[in-house]
Amino acid sequence: MKKISVLFVCLGNICRSPAAEAIFNSLLEKKGLTDCFIVDSAGTGSWHIGKKADSRMRIAAERRDINILSRARQITSKDFDEFNHILAMDDSNFRNIKDLKNRTTSTDLASIKKIQDFRSVFNEQEVPDPYFGGDDGFDYVLDILEDSVNGFLESIS
Ligand code: 4NP
């Protein structure tokens, strides 16, 4: 069976999208669905390429038994050919992904949406960027993502 591929995208690929990727992987593991999916994350920006996720996010996630293992990379036009679902964390990411797609490819494989389209408990229409804020912001991002990432999996199951 062909695997379903999912790419989570934020700005730096060191806070929100690595957390979304790890939460999704953890959910897939719990449901015995790991082998059905290819999961990755990327940033629209290039500043943090090759770096581990922000330690504040890794520590907050570890408290929930979620391990963030990814290294940052930047989204490329090849991703539009390789991923079935591209999920942006906020409106700015969404616009930047669409702009890149329009500039670089005409392929229509990838569905490009915002992860908060799949929210049910939280009302946030974007995942707030926690990078310049306090430690609470990282926990709040994880709360929001646990809700919407679960909603996304339900929407495709
Ligand atoms: P992320 O957070 O997009 O959730 O990874 C950010 C990380 C770094 C920066 C901005 C947002 N930065 O400006 O370096």
Side-chain angles (χ1 to χ4, degrees):
M1 203 181 75
K2 195 160 167 16
K3 295 190 184 201
I4 300 169
S5 49
V6 182
L7 180 68
F8 296 96
V9 180
C10 61
L11 176 60
N13 193 211
I14 56 167
C15 297
R16 293 165 293 173
S17 61
E21 175 189 1
I23 288 169
F24 193 58
N25 276 329
S26 159
L27 202 56
L28 293 177
E29 204 179 316
K30 282 187 197 132
K31 293 184 182 271
L33 291 172
T34 301
D35 291 345
C36 305
F37 285 83
I38 294 167
V39 187
D40 199 1
S41 66
T44 57
S46 61
W47 311 285
H48 301 287
I49 289 173
K51 287 199 196 140
K52 284 185 184 175
D54 189 300
S55 59
R56 296 167 294 175
M57 184 56 93
R58 281 187 283 125
I59 289 165
E62 270 163 26
R63 284 199 293 266
R64 301 174 188 219
D65 285 330
I66 292 164
N67 288 321
I68 301 182
L69 303 170
S70 61
R71 294 273 179 173
R73 74 169 179 89
Q74 190 173 26
I75 189 170
T76 72
S77 54
K78 244 179 91 188
D79 291 318
F80 299 112
D81 299 325
E82 295 187 349
F83 285 90
N84 302 119
H85 300 275
I86 298 182
L87 293 163
M89 297 296 120
D90 64 27
D91 290 337
S92 165
N93 308 150
F94 180 79
R95 278 194 303 275
N96 287 331
I97 295 164
K98 287 275 194 185
D99 286 350
L100 178 66
K101 181 177 182 292
N102 291 339
R103 280 201 312 275
T104 57
T105 177
S106 58
T107 182
D108 271 328
L109 173 72
S111 144
I112 303 170
K113 292 195 170 148
K114 289 200 300 172
I115 188 64
Q116 288 308 99
D117 293 346
F118 302 96
R119 71 191 182 277
S120 64
V121 179
F122 289 86
N123 213 14
E124 301 275 4
Q125 298 193 17
E126 301 181 280
V127 182
D129 183 348
Y131 187 68
F132 295 107
D135 285 351
D136 290 2
F138 291 85
D139 271 314
Y140 187 49
V141 164
L142 291 168
D143 289 341
I144 290 175
L145 284 172
E146 281 180 338
D147 174 42
S148 52
V149 164
N150 188 54
F152 168 68
L153 182 58
E154 280 181 6
S155 81
I156 57 169
S157 300

